[in-house]
Amino acid sequence: MDEKQKLTNEQLEAELGSRRSKATLAKIVTYGSGAATMLLFGIGLTPVAIICLLIALVSGYQLSKQTEVLKKTLSDNVVSSVLDEVFERVEYDPFGRLSDELVNGAGMVFPFSYERVRGSDHIKAVYKGLNLELSDVELYHVTDSYNEERSEWEESEKKAFQGQWLVCDFGKTLSGEVRLSENTKALRKQHKNDRIEMENPVFNDHIIVIAENAQEAYYVLTPHMMDYILTAAGRSGGEVYMSFLRGGKLHIAVKTGRDFFELGRNSANIDSLRQKFLGELRWFTDIIDTLRVEDTLYKKETSA
């Protein structure tokens, strides 16, 4: 058994607090020396700038190392037990993520474009007989521009999404292919031809429904389901996007602007962390519990 798993709560809290402090210090030094490097190069103090650059590189390495150790300590001692409490047959990789194929295959309707996917905290598990995957996901919009001074192309990226992404396979054909997105002016204009007006005006004010067939949207989004989604979205802490795929999979992406299992600025109290992580997982499992019993979600089999 890993020695870390034998730590008492008090010892573990002290270890996590220490690692977080070291990571914070390394981050301050990295960004501070990096800014000083650019400033010193700009005013011609090259020797001093080189020293600052070296400090930035060393502290950057320490930041990466401390962050990795902190994440692994948290994963081994807190996250894994929380996952076992909620799911069955858990496979957890704190440094893995959902595949590009899964993310891109959702056809999620976003008010932005993206070309690059990153992430962490990849979970594969079974929940009440349903296979699912869940991870932190970051989406980036990538652009190329030509630098005339260097005579070369340069790539830049801008983070468009950071949050959590769930994929649940219901194991049955769904009634239709329906996508839900935050109601924005850009999306209303973009999808004026395939946007479906639901009978719930409050729902329409907050969420855009995209489907090729309006009847399919009505089957998937019953009045009860629309009320529930509005309530869940209000408790999500971010923007909620959903994609119901005819093949049986449901994708839920929540733009929270943070990672899932993180210590953050809160006290490293183990019991509080467990409850926090459980609450975040239950948000997703509650949606699964509500959806899986909706008969209209599934395509009715017709007799020959």
Side-chain angles (χ1 to χ4, degrees):
M1 183 179 290
D2 194 308
E3 184 179 350
K4 293 294 183 185
Q5 294 177 314
K6 298 179 182 179
L7 295 175
T8 64
N9 278 4
E10 291 77 11
Q11 290 172 325
L12 181 55
E13 288 167 4
E15 172 74 6
L16 291 172
S18 174
R19 293 292 180 183
R20 177 171 59 183
S21 297
K22 292 177 180 178
T24 300
L25 178 60
K27 184 176 182 179
I28 293 172
V29 174
T30 299
Y31 284 93
S33 54
T37 298
M38 292 186 288
L39 177 62
L40 291 167
F41 271 127
I43 62 178
L45 295 178
T46 303
V48 183
I50 292 175
I51 294 175
C52 287
L53 177 60
L54 292 175
I55 294 174
L57 292 173
V58 172
S59 57
Y61 169 77
Q62 288 297 322
L63 173 60
S64 176
K65 181 179 178 181
Q66 293 298 333
T67 301
E68 182 176 334
V69 173
L70 176 62
K71 191 174 187 67
K72 191 173 189 311
T73 302
L74 194 60
S75 301
D76 291 345
N77 294 278
V78 182
V79 177
S80 294
S81 62
V82 169
L83 293 175
D84 288 336
E85 187 173 331
V86 178
F87 303 121
E88 298 176 346
R89 289 159 42 191
V90 177
E91 298 177 27
Y92 173 54
D93 180 2
F95 304 103
R97 65 171 176 85
L98 292 177
S99 68
D100 288 15
E101 181 181 5
L102 264 181
V103 172
N104 297 333
M108 203 72 83
V109 177
F110 289 125
F112 56 82
S113 60
Y114 70 92
E115 293 76 33
R116 183 165 295 156
V117 183
R118 295 197 182 104
S120 61
D121 285 314
H122 184 217
I123 303 161
K124 291 184 71 173
V126 174
Y127 179 72
K128 296 184 178 180
L130 303 178
N131 294 317
L132 61 80
E133 291 189 52
L134 173 67
S135 86
D136 291 327
V137 167
E138 296 178 357
L139 304 177
Y140 292 85
H141 178 53
V142 182
T143 56
D144 294 316
S145 59
Y146 189 73
N147 189 315
E148 296 287 351
E149 293 182 359
R150 297 183 180 180
S151 299
E152 63 182 16
W153 285 93
E154 295 180 344
E155 181 182 272
S156 62
E157 61 179 27
K158 179 180 180 181
K159 186 187 295 183
F161 177 97
Q162 180 183 12
Q164 288 63 55
W165 194 302
L166 170 82
V167 185
C168 179
D169 190 345
F170 287 102
K172 300 178 182 179
T173 302
L174 302 189
S175 296
E177 199 128 318
V178 181
R179 293 172 173 85
L180 277 60
S181 179
E182 292 286 313
N183 190 340
T184 66
K185 183 177 180 180
L187 286 179
R188 287 197 301 272
K189 182 177 180 180
Q190 181 181 346
H191 292 279
K192 60 182 180 180
N193 294 326
D194 58 353
R195 177 188 176 192
I196 307 300
E197 287 287 329
M198 306 303 291
E199 295 181 355
N200 185 329
V202 178
F203 191 83
N204 290 330
D205 287 342
H206 289 83
I207 295 174
I208 289 179
V209 178
I210 309 298
E212 292 185 0
N213 186 309
Q215 194 61 46
E216 292 180 351
Y218 301 147
Y219 275 128
V220 171
L221 299 171
T222 62
H224 169 259
M225 183 51 57
M226 285 189 285
D227 288 339
Y228 179 81
I229 290 174
L230 280 175
T231 301
R235 295 188 289 105
S236 67
E239 299 173 4
V240 176
Y241 303 87
M242 302 177 71
S243 180
F244 296 83
L245 301 183
R246 198 182 308 276
K249 289 183 178 179
L250 165 67
H251 289 250
I252 305 174
V254 187
K255 186 179 180 181
T256 58
R258 58 176 178 79
D259 289 338
F260 214 163
F261 305 120
E262 62 178 8
L263 190 57
R265 299 178 181 177
N266 299 325
S267 170
N269 179 277
I270 301 306
D271 291 335
S272 296
L273 284 172
R274 282 182 52 82
Q275 293 306 311
K276 173 178 177 287
F277 296 159
L278 279 169
E280 292 172 342
L281 290 173
R282 292 299 185 194
W283 186 89
F284 285 99
T285 58
D286 285 350
I287 291 181
I288 295 174
D289 287 336
T290 302
L291 278 170
R292 69 199 304 266
V293 297
E294 290 284 333
D295 289 338
T296 58
L297 178 65
Y298 308 107
K299 182 179 180 181
K300 299 295 186 292
E301 295 185 5
T302 57
S303 56

